[in-house]
Amino acid sequence: MQKVVNKYKDDKEVVFLFIDVWENKSFRKMQQAGARLMKEKSYSFNVLFDVDNKVVNDYKVEGIPVRVVIDKKGSIVNMGNSSNVELEIENAKN
């Protein structure tokens, strides 16, 4: 995903939200583990923490990882783990 984030970093039509879910840890422990991973992998994106599983419940996530692509109108155009996220993004932009 870092490569895709880099590709679209200057595209104002594309926003990435990475959300850490189902950790069953306190916010502080999730934050510490997330920061450690981000540093180890040299990721430049931010991660949000779903400590109450609200995102999981609202989007009916059944497994992770999962990618949700939402178009300009706020409609889910793809939810899953396909191998071509760039195509998904381009389709959502149209």
Side-chain angles (χ1 to χ4, degrees):
M1 285 307 300
Q2 182 64 60
K3 290 178 185 177
V4 178
V5 169
N6 292 347
K7 177 178 179 174
Y8 288 96
K9 69 181 178 193
D10 297 322
D11 189 330
K12 303 296 185 213
E13 293 185 294
V14 179
V15 176
F16 291 93
L17 295 176
F18 294 88
I19 305 171
D20 189 350
V21 300
W22 283 333
E23 289 284 350
N24 297 321
K25 298 177 188 174
S26 70
F27 171 76
R28 183 74 180 136
K29 287 187 179 194
M30 287 175 75
Q31 189 179 37
Q32 289 171 338
R36 193 169 37 254
L37 177 68
M38 299 299 286
K39 185 176 180 178
E40 286 172 8
K41 300 291 186 180
S42 299
Y43 292 147
S44 67
F45 48 83
N46 294 312
V47 176
L48 306 173
F49 301 101
D50 184 17
V51 293
D52 298 326
N53 293 322
K54 180 167 177 36
V55 173
V56 167
N57 294 327
D58 288 353
Y59 284 84
K60 298 176 181 32
V61 174
E62 296 178 358
I64 52 176
V66 66
R67 182 174 47 246
V68 180
V69 179
I70 301 171
D71 67 13
K72 295 176 188 180
K73 297 174 188 169
S75 300
I76 295 174
V77 296
N78 195 329
M79 185 167 174
N81 234 350
S82 74
S83 60
N84 197 338
V85 67
E86 293 174 36
L87 180 60
E88 293 174 19
I89 291 169
E90 292 304 318
N91 288 338
K93 288 173 54 174
N94 296 323

